[in-house]
Amino acid sequence: MRKKQSNHKRNKLEQLELPLTRIDRNAIKAWRITGFFTGLLLYLIPGFTSIFYFKEDSPLWITLVAIVLALSIHILLTVVFPKVRWNRWSYDVSEQAVDLHRGIIIQTRTVVPINRIQHVDTKKGPIYRRFGLSSISISTAATTHEIPALDDNTASEMRTLISELVRKVKEDV
């Protein structure tokens, strides 16, 4: 019983330390549209298996299984994953670091020190533009990290804030 309380308390402390700022809620709509169009490509697989069915008398169940799998994955991509992905995405920006937490199955937490950031970009594709969203790319010497789906004003303010923090840290060195 005591060990259970200890684990519960530790889990609560770990949750408190996670970044708290959420990305824009319109991300769910944008990711659903992207998932819908991506999911359409899955139906190419049953299409190809049906060609073999009609040409070479292969069993029909292969085509039916491929249709059910494509439909199931399409529903996951369009309905389930965008909401779960939004629930799992959070970030915070401080004078010391940019803290990112994300992941559906494997949760990843990345802390990017401000003094390692080389430049910050914002970008938006056609679906993001429809919902007034932008992404921020934070580049270091080793890699680039992205905060997706912020509303345009927040993304612009965030880019300016991170740039000022980087400039301030580099002036202090």
Side-chain angles (χ1 to χ4, degrees):
M1 181 72 174
R2 187 166 179 89
K3 189 173 184 176
K4 244 184 185 179
Q5 286 178 340
S6 172
N7 284 341
H8 179 70
K9 201 178 229 179
R10 188 173 24 164
N11 287 340
K12 268 192 150 186
L13 284 174
E14 286 176 2
Q15 288 176 354
L16 289 176
E17 295 174 5
L18 292 176
L20 298 175
T21 309
R22 292 272 180 193
I23 58 176
D24 196 277
R25 196 161 180 86
N26 281 333
I28 297 170
K29 295 175 189 170
W31 291 339
R32 282 188 173 151
I33 290 171
T34 304
F36 175 78
F37 287 113
T38 303
L40 290 178
L41 296 174
L42 295 170
Y43 295 103
L44 292 174
I45 297 168
F48 285 123
T49 59
S50 66
I51 289 171
F52 289 114
Y53 170 72
F54 288 115
K55 277 190 170 181
E56 303 194 14
D57 289 335
S58 66
L60 179 62
W61 68 268
I62 294 173
T63 301
L64 294 176
V65 167
I67 290 171
V68 169
L69 281 175
L71 183 64
S72 301
I73 294 171
H74 196 192
I75 289 171
L76 286 174
L77 289 174
T78 306
V79 178
V80 177
F81 285 165
K83 176 76 173 161
V84 174
R85 185 177 172 198
W86 182 84
N87 279 333
R88 300 283 170 89
W89 238 111
S90 61
Y91 70 96
D92 274 332
V93 177
S94 68
E95 290 185 10
Q96 290 80 33
V98 177
D99 193 357
L100 310 170
H101 180 252
R102 63 201 175 279
I104 294 175
I105 296 169
I106 298 171
Q107 293 189 6
T108 304
R109 185 164 183 198
T110 306
V111 177
V112 183
I114 288 291
N115 62 354
R116 300 292 174 116
I117 296 174
Q118 293 186 334
H119 66 274
V120 183
D121 298 322
T122 56
K123 66 179 179 181
K124 51 185 164 184
I127 296 174
Y128 272 19
R129 273 196 303 267
R130 168 83 171 88
F131 294 102
L133 300 173
S134 296
S135 293
I136 294 180
S137 298
I138 302 165
S139 299
T140 63
T143 188
T144 300
H145 305 279
E146 183 174 294
I147 303 173
L150 300 173
D151 73 86
D152 289 338
N153 291 335
T154 304
S156 179
E157 291 171 6
M158 190 69 60
R159 183 188 62 221
T160 304
L161 173 67
I162 293 171
S163 297
E164 288 175 7
L165 290 172
V166 169
R167 191 173 327 124
K168 186 178 172 184
V169 166
K170 302 241 173 171
E171 286 175 359
D172 290 344
V173 174

